[in-house]
Amino acid sequence: MRLFTALISLLCLPSALSAQYGINYEGSLTAGGGSGDFAPYYISSLNHGRYTEELTVQAEAKAWRPIDTDKRFSYGFGIDLLAGYSSSTDYGRYSPSTAEWTSHAVRPSALRLQQLYGEIKYRGVFLLAGMKEHTSALLNQRLTSGDLIESGNTRPIPEVRVGFIDFRDIPFTNGWVQIQGEIGYGKMLDNGWKRDHYNYYNYHLTEGEWYNYKRCYFRTKPSQPFSLTIGMQAAGMFGGSEVFYSKGIGYGAVKYPADIKTFFQMLLPRQDGGEAFYTGNHLGSWDIRGRYRLNNGTQLAAYVSWPWEDGSGIGKLNGFDGLWGLEYKAPRPGIVSGAVIEYMDYTNQSGPIHYAPADYQGTTMTAHASGSDDYYNNRAHTSYCYFGQSIGTPALMAPLYNTDGYGGYVANALRGFHLGIEGTILPGLDYRLKGGYRKAWGNGYFLLPRPISLAAVMLEADWRPASVKGLSLNAKLEFDRGSMPGNALGALLTVKYNGILNL
């Protein structure tokens, strides 16, 4: 009898295993249009580079298996394909042979690989290889204006990343202090995009760069009513080759190192005179978040991210600069399930003059002038963007929107506010509202002839009919008014179906 039972169990094993092994899949069709040169601000931002142009028709198919965090060892993978049509945008280009400006039309690729990755987990540590979309580690991704360092605003960068999969208890603290961190190195693949959009007149063109990201957060016990998270994010770009341009003439070609030594220098930067001071382009943020949970489950949070690009920023010498926010989260779905209000200020950057006596051995001058801040820009490397869109906050107008072909951020001295609200109107019918106002005056090197600004409001509805499980219909309507980059009235409609395939 035991032998018979064992035989039946063995025959049933493949069926049992297949029932436990599932792959998530999703297919969608999106169509959108508007009146501006680009997609409206909120429709475009924080969507991993999917929608940038005035008109878009796009099909997307993806399949993935997430890591099972309840198991000691687990693995995951994913693939995501996009295909469709987008309208084109005209960009300026200078010809030194004729000393004339022309324009040429550029549009996103009709077919592209959005994500392709594999990842493994052992206990609390993960290893990721490939292109995977990342979102903010600190902020409410659905409602925020965007993280300052990694916001999920542009396409994912191919990389290798390792770290803690979640916050882990620090030994001997009884769970009162936790740590989370990760380190990644990636290769930027947007050389063709840069060549197509650059004006070849001024600034510089840097290709073949590498990307580095690192983060370390500490958090107090989350089961307590009050919990505090504090830490730093840091990112950088290094390697590649650079050519400067002045009135259409290229000069000063440089190839920057990307050897093993450089990889370590990006991890632990030190002054060596390379690339004018430190090897690579470094930037980051100090992040602080306090959360309080009421007895009924309601959560209130306050947070701030202070940007830095050098020692003065790390030492918090850039005044009030940063992203300041308040968040509300309801204990259960309702008319208002969550809300965020944020204030952003990046106007305390110091000007172009920088003099540090320690940089010049033997000098008799002792006065110190700390300056040369220019958020997201760099004299040796590409501005902090990928395929023209900001890797950090989309609130600062990225090079994608420079139709004159300039490769940097022209208006990073900015102030503004942002509001995000979401909730459930009826079972299966959710909404999201995002709006705000931004005004910019230029940057620390060049002020604009007149300030530019944008007021934007987006309303989104998401309907999931109970009669068809896995089907959803999403509609966005947005109205933009201003000059960052321009007025726009736009809408985006997405039909989506998802499920789990048991193999």
Side-chain angles (χ1 to χ4, degrees):
M1 185 66 181
R2 290 182 179 177
L3 180 61
F4 177 76
T5 304
L7 180 60
I8 294 298
S9 300
L10 184 62
L11 291 174
C12 293
L13 182 60
S15 175
L17 288 176
S18 66
Q20 295 174 7
Y21 191 87
I23 295 179
N24 295 274
Y25 66 88
E26 182 177 283
S28 65
L29 181 63
T30 298
S35 60
D37 294 331
F38 298 93
Y41 169 63
Y42 283 116
I43 286 178
S44 176
S45 63
L46 303 184
N47 275 305
H48 305 282
R50 282 178 173 81
Y51 318 115
T52 60
E53 304 306 307
E54 175 189 1
L55 302 175
T56 297
V57 178
Q58 182 173 277
E60 182 171 2
K62 58 183 177 180
W64 73 99
R65 179 175 172 81
I67 283 179
D68 188 344
T69 56
D70 293 330
K71 294 181 179 179
R72 176 173 293 189
F73 174 82
S74 182
Y75 67 92
F77 54 82
I79 184 171
D80 188 352
L81 297 170
L82 298 178
Y85 168 83
S86 296
S87 58
S88 62
T89 301
D90 291 335
Y91 287 85
R93 178 166 292 174
Y94 183 77
S95 172
S97 60
T98 62
E100 294 180 346
W101 283 86
T102 60
S103 64
H104 64 292
V106 184
R107 62 165 44 91
S109 301
L111 177 66
R112 76 170 185 257
L113 183 63
Q114 177 76 1
Q115 298 186 83
L116 179 63
Y117 65 89
E119 53 188 345
I120 59 174
K121 162 197 173 291
Y122 181 71
R123 292 183 178 269
V125 178
F126 76 90
L127 173 65
L128 163 73
M131 297 184 298
K132 183 180 181 182
E133 295 174 348
H134 298 294
T135 56
S136 173
L138 183 79
L139 310 176
N140 183 326
Q141 185 69 18
R142 285 182 50 81
L143 299 180
T144 182
S145 62
D147 194 282
L148 299 188
I149 308 304
E150 276 197 344
S151 67
N153 185 58
T154 189
R155 304 183 196 181
I157 299 171
E159 64 175 345
V160 174
R161 185 172 291 210
V162 63
F164 296 120
I165 201 162
D166 199 352
F167 280 90
R168 316 302 299 178
D169 292 345
I170 295 179
F172 310 113
T173 67
N174 250 354
W176 280 97
V177 184
Q178 300 178 323
I179 185 172
Q180 196 280 329
E182 49 196 68
I183 300 170
Y185 287 92
K187 180 67 173 177
M188 308 187 82
L189 301 180
D190 58 347
N191 291 344
W193 190 97
K194 294 175 186 176
R195 290 191 292 265
D196 288 342
H197 291 74
Y198 184 49
N199 61 24
Y200 292 91
Y201 180 77
N202 57 359
Y203 203 56
H204 58 264
L205 178 64
T206 310
E207 302 178 71
E209 293 169 296
W210 291 81
Y211 175 73
N212 170 242
Y213 175 80
K214 41 198 173 289
R215 174 176 77 240
C216 183
Y217 283 167
F218 295 93
R219 184 176 72 180
T220 62
K221 200 168 189 175
S223 60
Q224 296 297 308
F226 177 76
S227 180
L228 178 67
T229 301
I230 185 169
M232 176 188 281
Q233 295 182 86
M237 302 158 81
F238 64 103
S241 57
E242 176 190 35
V243 178
F244 291 88
Y245 284 86
S246 177
K247 297 182 178 179
I249 305 300
Y251 68 95
V254 181
K255 184 172 179 60
Y256 295 118
D259 52 17
I260 296 298
K261 176 184 176 182
T262 309
F263 273 70
F264 278 104
Q265 287 178 335
M266 292 301 297
L267 184 62
L268 298 170
R270 65 181 182 84
Q271 181 180 345
D272 67 352
E275 299 167 46
F277 199 58
Y278 284 86
T279 298
N281 170 28
H282 298 269
L283 63 135
S285 65
W286 285 108
D287 298 334
I288 304 173
R289 178 185 178 91
R291 185 269 302 153
Y292 186 79
R293 184 177 57 252
L294 304 179
N295 291 335
N296 64 358
T298 299
Q299 296 186 44
L300 304 174
Y303 53 87
V304 62
S305 287
W306 292 322
W308 56 263
E309 294 210 357
D310 56 21
S312 62
I314 293 176
K316 198 60 191 79
L317 299 179
N318 288 356
F320 204 69
D321 278 7
L323 176 71
W324 306 75
L326 298 172
E327 181 182 356
Y328 162 82
K329 185 177 181 180
R332 61 190 64 86
I335 295 297
V336 178
S337 301
V340 159
I341 185 169
E342 296 176 338
Y343 172 75
M344 59 196 81
D345 192 336
Y346 310 111
T347 59
N348 291 285
Q349 304 173 58
S350 50
I353 299 175
H354 180 87
Y355 181 83
D359 296 344
Y360 303 93
Q361 299 299 323
T363 179
T364 58
M365 298 180 64
T366 58
H368 182 97
S370 180
S372 204
D373 288 327
D374 195 3
Y375 294 152
Y376 290 1
N377 286 328
N378 187 264
R379 65 161 297 279
H381 288 277
T382 303
S383 296
Y384 194 57
C385 63
Y386 187 53
F387 283 93
Q389 288 188 281
S390 174
I391 302 173
T393 175
L396 302 182
M397 194 171 70
L400 170 72
Y401 301 102
N402 299 336
T403 55
D404 62 357
Y406 182 72
Y409 288 77
V410 298
N412 56 28
L414 175 146
R415 286 178 182 165
F417 70 88
H418 163 84
L419 174 68
I421 303 174
E422 67 177 349
T424 299
I425 302 174
L426 297 169
L429 179 60
D430 299 333
Y431 79 92
R432 183 169 55 148
L433 175 68
K434 298 180 82 172
Y437 175 78
R438 300 170 293 150
K439 185 174 183 178
W441 290 264
N443 59 42
Y445 287 80
F446 305 103
L447 292 178
L448 297 171
R450 60 185 62 85
I452 59 176
S453 62
L454 183 74
V457 177
M458 182 199 75
L459 178 62
E460 174 186 13
D462 191 79
W463 178 50
R464 301 175 304 282
S467 57
V468 185
K469 185 178 180 180
L471 178 67
S472 66
L473 179 65
N474 183 280
K476 297 182 177 74
L477 179 65
E478 180 169 348
F479 179 73
D480 292 356
R481 202 70 179 171
S483 50
M484 293 181 69
N487 298 333
L489 175 64
L492 193 75
L493 182 65
T494 300
V495 179
K496 183 185 301 180
Y497 184 81
N498 59 56
I500 299 178
L501 177 65
N502 290 315
L503 300 179

